Amino acid sequence: MTALQERRVGDEVLFYSGMKFVAKARILGLLHNRPLAEAVWGVDKNQNTWEHVMALGDIVELNVPAEPILRGLSVRVPLRSLTLVRAEGRRRFLNMVAPSSQPEPTRPATDPTGPEKPVALGRDDLLRALASLKTHIKEQRPSRHKPITLLWAIGRLAGGKERMVDWETFSSEVAPLLKEFGHPDSRVTPEYPFWHLRSSGLWSIEGVTERGSTPTPSQLASSHARAGLGRDAAKILRRSLARADSIGLLCSTYFDDIDRDKLLDRVGLAGYARASGEIPEGSSGAVTRSSVTSSRPDRDPRLVEHIKGMYEHECQVCGARVETRYSHYSEAAHIRGVGKPHDGPDELSNLLCLCPNHHVEFDRLAIYIDEDWTVRRNSTGNVAFELTRHADHVIDEEHVRYHRGLCGRS
Ligand SMILES: [Zn+2]
């Protein structure tokens, strides 16, 4: 029943038979329609039918042994019923159930030198592609070449730089990132993401003809090859909400065990490490501290007093009220940071009254507010608290959604 109730459009469904996953599909629509279910499946001897109807698409056949994955997810083997796997669990095993667990196939019959294909890429397609990058698996860990390169490319876009770059520029900028943030035992080979990212559908290459193997650095240099985000992907990533979603998703999917603040800083996306957008100390990113400070709009101190008064300094997350000698203390937190890069508004609908601890946790993306106003811990997805909301405090759900995107929870 939990699995039935908590399904959402966009969730992935795996079909299981004979101890194997045999197909996967995506939920495109959910219906609760008894007449339709009866028409399709009839009724059983107790006049019951299967009225929770799922419309599925993007069906891919698989042949993946299920046992290691199920055991890894602490699901009883063999499976007996509909089972829900939460996003964080799914991410750990994503590469085992993606058809991409095989080595990179070479794509025949495409001409990378020709014009980009006029396939309209949507925001959901982009996020799906980012979440399921084909990566080489070594000791159960996906290589980080591609996600690092994509973050770098998003950083260029956010910094207003050119979308396509030549091989020399690419190599000089991406190689140090691969060295610093790739797996220690992974070789630094910028030609690999330069060339193979094209299979993601988000990447574009000019100047090199299709070939069976990865071109060597000297071949890329002599052919004056250029690469970068595809036009459609770049168009979507110029929008702030999709950009926040993408950065959050890449970080939570591929960079769980490295210093994400540092990586985001290196690619010029330091502001995305925090909900407030304020740049961590000692940042050397593309966004300079002075430009952040000067572009920060003035905050209205009356709003700050208003929200603190409304909640009488009680934290909306935990209910704690920090006592001082003569009064109480709380902090007003913007849900979507005002100023760069988030550009949230300074309005009551974008403010929370928090205790200092929860202010830090919210700002550093350790907790997020879910669609049902529960407060969840980002590392586990578990509910930690229920957000307190005053009847006169209308919180704009779009800002909460933006924050969830930064948390990789969109
Ligand atoms: Zn609190």
Side-chain angles (χ1 to χ4, degrees):
M1 287 312 292
T2 304
L4 272 178
Q5 283 161 7
E6 299 193 4
R7 293 165 310 168
R8 302 251 170 96
V9 171
D11 280 353
E12 205 164 64
V13 176
L14 290 171
F15 293 86
Y16 171 86
S17 174
M19 294 298 284
K20 281 184 171 164
F21 291 121
V22 294
K24 67 171 186 171
R26 186 156 312 265
I27 301 180
L28 302 181
L30 291 170
L31 327 162
H32 191 264
N33 186 329
R34 189 176 168 100
L36 173 67
E38 279 185 22
V40 176
W41 294 294
V43 290
D44 67 12
K45 60 183 187 323
N46 301 318
Q47 298 301 303
N48 291 321
T49 185
W50 294 267
E51 59 209 73
H52 295 275
V53 183
M54 286 187 255
L56 303 174
D58 297 344
I59 298 165
V60 178
E61 287 187 35
L62 303 169
N63 184 9
V64 181
E67 192 168 351
I69 297 171
L70 294 173
R71 290 205 189 285
L73 293 165
S74 308
V75 172
R76 199 161 358 133
V77 183
L79 269 182
R80 297 247 178 259
S81 60
L82 205 60
T83 298
L84 180 88
V85 173
R86 299 202 178 274
E88 61 274 11
R90 172 181 167 271
R91 277 186 207 109
R92 276 191 291 132
F93 293 89
L94 191 65
N95 287 290
M96 292 173 76
V97 288
S100 53
S101 54
Q102 281 87 38
E104 296 270 343
T106 312
R107 279 200 171 181
T110 54
D111 178 11
T113 59
E116 287 171 43
K117 279 179 280 173
V119 179
L121 183 82
R123 177 189 157 279
D124 288 354
D125 301 318
L126 174 99
L127 293 179
R128 211 174 292 165
L130 291 176
S132 53
L133 292 173
K134 294 178 180 177
T135 48
H136 274 309
I137 313 284
K138 198 171 180 182
E139 290 156 12
Q140 309 233 352
R141 293 184 313 181
S143 102
R144 299 192 192 118
H145 286 56
K146 286 182 180 177
I148 288 171
T149 303
L150 285 169
L151 268 187
W152 164 83
I154 295 170
R156 284 185 62 88
L157 210 65
K161 292 183 191 160
E162 233 188 323
R163 181 173 62 90
M164 300 293 282
V165 294
D166 56 53
W167 161 250
E168 286 81 4
T169 310
F170 180 92
S171 175
S172 69
E173 294 188 11
V174 173
L177 295 171
L178 299 181
K179 187 167 194 291
E180 189 171 359
F181 299 104
H183 290 300
D185 51 354
S186 172
R187 285 189 305 132
V188 178
T189 48
E191 63 277 16
Y192 175 80
F194 186 94
W195 179 246
H196 289 286
L197 260 174
R198 73 203 194 295
S199 68
S200 67
L202 309 173
W203 195 251
S204 166
I205 303 179
E206 292 168 359
V208 205
T209 45
E210 188 62 43
R211 62 188 68 216
S213 58
T214 311
T216 63
S218 60
Q219 283 166 337
L220 290 172
S222 64
S223 57
H224 306 290
R226 292 165 67 79
L229 287 165
R231 271 196 196 94
D232 286 351
K235 200 170 148 193
I236 298 167
L237 286 163
R238 285 197 183 95
R239 298 202 291 261
S240 60
L241 181 57
R243 184 154 74 227
D245 284 344
S246 302
I247 295 166
L249 183 73
L250 282 171
C251 284
S252 61
T253 309
Y254 304 100
F255 305 118
D256 248 356
D257 50 351
I258 62 170
D259 186 343
R260 283 177 265 188
D261 289 9
K262 201 165 153 196
L263 172 60
L264 288 172
D265 180 32
R266 286 283 198 286
V267 297
L269 296 171
Y272 288 90
R274 299 189 184 195
S276 61
E278 280 155 18
I279 308 292
E281 287 298 320
S283 160
S284 58
V287 181
T288 64
R289 288 183 65 84
S290 62
S291 76
V292 168
T293 313
S294 63
S295 67
R296 182 188 297 165
D298 286 329
R299 287 153 204 195
D300 187 345
R302 287 168 307 180
L303 281 179
V304 172
E305 286 318 303
H306 189 149
I307 189 112
K308 291 178 175 182
M310 192 183 261
Y311 289 94
E312 296 174 340
H313 295 289
E314 274 183 17
C315 175
Q316 281 179 261
V317 170
C318 68
R321 198 162 175 240
V322 178
E323 205 180 293
T324 61
R325 172 69 179 84
Y326 297 108
S327 178
H328 291 91
Y329 176 85
S330 61
E331 297 183 353
H334 285 98
I335 301 168
R336 176 172 177 164
V338 294
K340 300 286 174 201
H342 307 313
D343 295 321
D346 189 28
E347 292 169 359
L348 204 58
S349 63
N350 187 31
L351 277 173
L352 295 173
C353 174
L354 300 178
C355 72
N357 283 357
H358 285 119
H359 190 182
V360 171
E361 290 194 341
F362 187 80
D363 187 37
R364 305 292 181 90
L365 314 178
I367 53 173
Y368 67 96
I369 301 167
D370 214 343
E371 284 166 0
D372 59 0
W373 301 104
T374 53
V375 179
R376 291 177 185 267
R377 199 147 283 288
N378 204 1
S379 55
T380 59
N382 292 341
V383 175
F385 299 97
E386 183 109 18
L387 192 79
T388 305
R389 286 174 300 149
H390 192 284
D392 295 336
H393 185 204
V394 179
I395 300 172
D396 189 329
E397 293 184 36
E398 274 305 297
H399 303 323
V400 178
R401 216 193 101 15
Y402 184 90
H403 182 271
R404 267 202 307 277
L406 288 178
C407 292
R409 296 284 181 172
S410 64

